[in-house]
Amino acid sequence: MSGRSQRATSRVLLIGPAFVVIVVLMVVPLALMAWISIQERDYAGGVVWGSLTPDAYVRFLFERNLDDTVSLSFDYLRIIARSFWLSAMTTAISLAIGFPTAFFMATRPRRWRGVLVFMVTLPFWTNLLVRNYSWILILRDHGTINGLLEWLGVISQPLPLLNNQFAVAVGLTYSFLPFMVLPIYTSLEKLDLSLVEAAFDLYAGRWRALRHVVLPLSLPGIVAGSALVFMPCLGSYVTPELLGGGKTLMIGNLIGMQFGSARNWPFGAALGMLLLAILLIGLAIYALRKPSGEEASA
Amino acid sequence: MRERSPERNPQENSQCTRTHDAAIDIRRVRKSFGTGANAFVALKEVSAAIRRGEFFTLLGPSGCGKTTLLRLIAGFDQPTSGDILLDGEDISQLAPFHRPVNTVFQNYALFPHMSVAQNIGFGLKMQGKSKAEIDDRVDAMLTLVQMQALKSRRTGEISGGQQQRVALARALAPAPKLLLLDEPLSALDLKLRKEMQIELKRLQNETGITFVFVTHDQEEALTMSDRIAVMDHGSILQIGTPREIYDHPKRRFVADFIGDINFIEATAVTDGGQAGARIPGHGFVRLEDDRTLADGETMTLAIRPERVEIVPSKALDHIDGPRNEATNELTGKLVNVVYHGTDTIYHFTLADGTVMRARTQNNRGFAPRFSVGDAIGWRVDPSAISIVEDAAA
């Protein structure tokens, strides 16, 4: 046996499992989804195999009326816009909360940082469903917040905290905040604090030191954190389902609905493909952008 | 909370010379980190007056408090007690960005996301200067440190010596009243360090800015400074010109830290108004130190090896008597001769076993006149003997 073929064997053995996992769990389902999205729907559920039609994609913008005419409809577009809006809000709120948190963590003595990182990841030890149900208890009409405010005499009628976009935004922020904190923490921990002192020394106050030195240098963490929050938000299912009260649909819920009660698999698959395409385009733009973090000129 | 001593009497401290042209007046500054039993006192009541336009060096081993003092002047830390006056104005509580003081950091701390020119212009931009003004000043600074060709480079793309120049230009660009330099040359190799020493002196002459320079390198301190403050364990032990520090050290630590030196335990003799010392087992040496001595007081004498002259012992049969005022000559036994190229070091012992060193220049070639085991005589000029205090600060 030559060493060369032995090396080839070990290479196949090493790559093999990962290759199989990716093909079986990613490529095959994706191909299946793409295929389903261009099939004709079977009203009993599932699809009529082999019947190619762009119906599912057309349905996204156009509505087929009873008399078989087609007219423009923005209902689905509105759900997608709302998904984007809620995801963007969640990302912005997570950034506003996550950056100071990460900065605080990164500037603690080294022996405390591990504990703090552990505390940030603590919610992950509980099931997502359970955590979202807890928010129902906190936000509902006679829940923790309304109860407390009524007891204090601040309000006489419960505030509408649940079953709206606000509740969904709170739930999403709560769920995904750690994904914002951790990458920013990682980039801030690497930041040389003498650079901040240098900025102070050169007449930059606290805000300007933050804007001109800390923010540009932690930009990779901010971008990574934002992507890690925004993308799962866009496809989230559980949180809008539980906290949105069925009124605040997001793409995830819409897709779930197509495979469930609406029995329109091709449309569900088409929506999934659309979501994937949007995210891939976003990632491609980020990956291909000019690799520079140069500060805007004076 | 800052603790302040209620009564303030600068005269109490001998090192607090209140000069009118002081750019920086450090008054009884104390700094401790932590509280209670864990408190670490980094500076104990340090006072110093740094003159305008001066190249002032804080010299000491690591952990002596020199960097702490620099950080207090820069404003990165606040003193536990005491004041720091800049041009007569107390700045000890001002934020660093409100002090007309700039720093060259030990690791340079250049902004990695900016170009060389942007780094140099940063302070001016933060001061709200106009774009034209910034550009002019940055160009002037680039010329000053000879870095025009690399102005658009990122700081990660230039060498250590070039980074050093950029750090200097960046700190000088806003024309501070005071430039602080925290061991700026320690990361450079020897050749570059020598170059930058000359460069720094040139920059100081051209800009006329007061420099406060921190180093642990005694040679660097001696060659560059107008005055040196030698520090140890959170105190300034002595402030003086390089000459004063080298030739007339007042503390054993100062004498030992800078250059090579011999220490001899001796007893003071003040007979007949003539200051002198008796060395155990030997005779009397005359002193020129202006210190007032009590008869019989024990003291430590410090003598630089290059000020000790070795002479044949034959001629010295008369010495080691009760008095030898004329020549200041004593005897010893040669134990080692070490050739060092430019000079030769003779090791010899005194009667009590103290090992002494004498350094002779080989300016006439190396021809050992004495051999190991010989009884020799040695001679020292009274002006070359310093009385040093043993006690720690």
Side-chain angles (χ1 to χ4, degrees):
Chain A
M1 265 292 160
S2 74
R4 181 179 293 248
S5 76
Q6 233 169 354
R7 225 176 302 137
T9 312
S10 66
R11 197 175 301 158
V12 168
L13 282 175
L14 280 173
I15 300 174
F19 186 75
V20 169
V21 164
I22 287 176
V23 167
V24 172
L25 298 180
M26 243 187 89
V27 177
V28 170
L30 261 179
L32 202 60
M33 194 166 90
W35 182 244
I36 288 177
S37 73
I38 48 172
Q39 302 297 311
E40 203 167 292
R41 80 185 268 207
D42 181 340
Y43 283 87
V47 291
V48 181
W49 292 103
S51 52
L52 293 184
T53 166
D55 268 5
Y57 290 95
V58 172
R59 188 182 161 83
F60 172 63
L61 275 180
F62 298 97
E63 199 171 22
R64 194 175 295 273
N65 298 320
L66 285 173
D67 57 358
D68 232 21
T69 55
V70 169
S71 61
L72 208 59
S73 159
F74 293 120
D75 287 352
Y76 297 124
L77 204 61
R78 201 174 302 134
I79 291 175
I80 289 185
R82 180 193 296 145
S83 299
F84 269 90
W85 164 246
L86 274 171
S87 302
M89 282 299 291
T90 304
T91 308
I93 297 169
S94 298
L95 183 60
I97 301 172
F99 188 88
T101 309
F103 192 85
F104 175 82
M105 287 165 63
T107 50
R108 289 316 95 189
R110 196 164 288 281
R111 63 178 185 281
W112 285 107
R113 294 185 202 162
V115 179
L116 290 168
V117 168
F118 174 73
M119 282 166 68
V120 166
T121 59
L122 212 53
F124 291 140
W125 295 88
T126 328
N127 183 280
L128 180 70
L129 213 55
V130 174
R131 283 185 276 147
N132 276 287
Y133 269 116
S134 329
W135 274 107
I136 295 182
L137 297 181
I138 295 169
L139 295 175
R140 65 182 176 174
D141 282 1
H142 301 289
T144 316
I145 293 177
N146 276 318
L148 188 70
L149 289 177
E150 268 178 79
W151 181 74
L152 287 172
V154 181
I155 53 167
S156 54
Q157 290 291 312
L159 295 171
L161 298 177
L162 193 60
N163 299 336
N164 51 26
Q165 290 199 21
F166 169 78
V168 176
V170 167
L172 288 176
T173 304
Y174 171 76
S175 303
F176 296 117
L177 187 60
F179 294 114
M180 182 65 87
V181 173
L182 295 176
I184 296 181
Y185 165 78
T186 308
S187 63
L188 283 177
E189 201 200 14
K190 282 183 290 186
L191 183 87
D192 180 0
L193 282 181
S194 69
L195 292 177
V196 180
E197 287 188 343
F200 284 161
D201 192 60
L202 293 161
Y203 313 106
R206 289 177 186 85
W207 280 110
R208 290 199 291 173
L210 183 72
R211 192 167 93 68
H212 293 286
V213 175
V214 179
L215 279 182
L217 290 175
S218 54
L219 203 59
I222 292 173
V223 170
S226 299
L228 285 178
V229 171
F230 185 80
M231 291 195 282
C233 263
L234 204 56
S236 63
Y237 177 76
V238 172
T239 303
E241 187 78 13
L242 292 180
L243 301 177
K247 289 185 289 183
T248 312
L249 279 186
M250 288 176 70
I251 310 178
N253 308 100
L254 192 60
I255 295 173
M257 206 187 272
Q258 302 312 316
F259 286 96
S261 53
R263 288 190 214 158
N264 193 345
W265 286 25
F267 186 47
L271 283 169
M273 293 307 289
L274 195 75
L275 187 58
L276 188 68
I278 292 169
L279 293 181
L280 282 181
I281 290 168
L283 274 179
I285 291 173
Y286 172 65
L288 296 177
R289 86 196 199 297
K290 222 170 58 180
S292 88
E294 189 140 7
E295 216 206 10
S297 68
Chain B
M1 281 301 283
R2 269 164 41 93
E3 40 174 282
R4 282 182 176 276
S5 44
E7 98 284 17
R8 197 72 56 84
N9 182 6
Q11 265 70 48
E12 228 171 64
N13 194 316
S14 62
Q15 259 147 7
C16 183
T17 44
R18 295 181 67 178
T19 335
H20 284 296
D21 60 351
I24 275 277
D25 200 349
I26 296 154
R27 293 188 183 168
R28 301 171 61 101
V29 164
R30 246 178 70 82
K31 176 66 184 175
S32 52
F33 294 100
T35 47
N38 296 326
F40 168 70
V41 180
L43 286 176
K44 334 173 174 157
E45 301 251 325
V46 165
S47 295
I50 299 167
R51 296 178 196 136
R52 190 161 298 134
E54 184 170 48
F55 196 119
F56 192 86
T57 298
L58 299 171
L59 173 67
S62 58
C64 72
K66 56 192 193 298
T67 296
T68 303
L69 184 55
L70 199 77
R71 291 177 59 82
L72 293 181
I73 300 173
F76 302 135
D77 291 314
Q78 269 69 49
T80 309
S81 67
D83 300 315
I84 297 170
L85 278 68
L86 176 64
D87 287 343
E89 204 183 320
D90 186 6
I91 58 160
S92 51
Q93 298 303 307
L94 280 186
F97 41 86
H98 289 136
R99 301 183 186 202
V101 171
N102 290 141
T103 308
V104 176
F105 292 84
Q106 185 166 12
N107 62 354
Y108 314 140
L110 296 177
F111 303 123
H113 56 300
M114 297 181 201
S115 68
V116 165
Q118 283 171 326
N119 262 282
I120 297 173
F122 187 82
L124 299 162
K125 187 175 156 188
M126 293 299 115
Q127 283 180 322
K129 295 275 162 40
S130 73
K131 178 126 175 51
E133 202 176 335
I134 295 175
D135 288 348
D136 281 356
R137 185 80 184 147
V138 167
D139 272 342
M141 285 297 128
L142 284 166
T143 312
L144 188 69
V145 297
Q146 295 150 21
M147 287 284 293
Q148 300 95 320
L150 301 172
K151 62 188 265 187
S152 342
R153 291 275 191 95
R154 286 299 188 82
T155 56
E157 300 165 353
I158 56 177
S159 73
Q162 290 165 339
Q163 288 182 14
Q164 167 74 79
R165 286 162 191 272
V166 176
L168 266 168
R170 184 180 72 173
L172 286 170
K177 288 186 175 168
L178 192 67
L179 186 75
L180 306 175
L181 303 103
D182 187 7
E183 309 221 14
L185 308 181
S186 60
L188 305 178
D189 60 54
L190 187 66
K191 191 164 172 290
L192 206 52
R193 191 153 71 224
K194 298 273 180 215
E195 268 176 47
M196 283 309 293
Q197 287 180 5
I198 297 163
E199 185 82 2
L200 268 179
K201 270 309 257 190
R202 177 180 72 83
L203 286 175
Q204 204 237 344
N205 285 335
E206 282 179 25
T207 57
I209 292 172
T210 312
F211 278 33
V212 178
F213 184 87
V214 159
T215 185
H216 63 264
D217 184 330
Q218 42 119 348
E219 193 200 321
E220 210 165 85
L222 289 176
T223 50
M224 298 171 74
S225 319
D226 293 320
R227 285 195 306 155
I228 299 172
V230 182
M231 295 184 70
D232 188 39
H233 286 106
S235 299
I236 292 180
L237 301 182
Q238 188 174 352
I239 299 178
T241 63
R243 250 226 145 89
E244 283 165 2
I245 297 277
Y246 187 82
D247 285 346
H248 303 292
K250 296 227 181 333
R251 301 286 191 101
R252 188 182 181 118
F253 178 86
V254 175
D256 208 16
F257 190 72
I258 296 167
D260 195 10
I261 201 145
N262 297 298
F263 292 113
I264 307 174
E265 303 305 322
T267 321
V269 181
T270 56
D271 206 15
Q274 177 75 285
R278 191 182 309 283
I279 296 165
H282 295 270
F284 174 87
V285 286
R286 268 185 308 125
L287 304 175
E288 268 181 16
D289 203 293
D290 51 8
R291 208 166 306 212
T292 38
L293 298 162
D295 201 32
E297 188 187 346
T298 56
M299 58 191 180
T300 305
L301 304 181
I303 306 165
R304 298 284 173 199
E306 68 270 22
R307 303 294 295 270
V308 178
E309 192 191 344
I310 304 278
V311 292
S313 70
K314 290 197 280 294
L316 299 170
D317 287 342
H318 62 287
I319 68 166
D320 287 3
R323 285 282 193 278
N324 185 23
E325 290 166 29
T327 54
N328 257 17
E329 285 171 343
L330 297 171
T331 55
K333 184 167 173 259
L334 197 63
V335 292
N336 203 1
V337 179
V338 183
Y339 176 68
H340 275 274
T342 55
D343 43 33
T344 305
I345 297 180
Y346 295 92
H347 297 246
F348 58 93
T349 50
L350 300 184
D352 63 352
T354 308
V355 178
M356 298 271 293
R357 290 174 307 281
R359 180 191 292 266
T360 321
Q361 272 211 336
N362 296 332
N363 46 8
R364 278 178 223 146
F366 175 64
R369 291 182 294 154
F370 311 99
S371 40
V372 172
D374 280 359
I376 47 115
W378 58 281
R379 185 186 306 185
V380 60
D381 192 78
S383 67
I385 306 174
S386 304
I387 304 168
V388 293
E389 277 172 46
D390 256 325

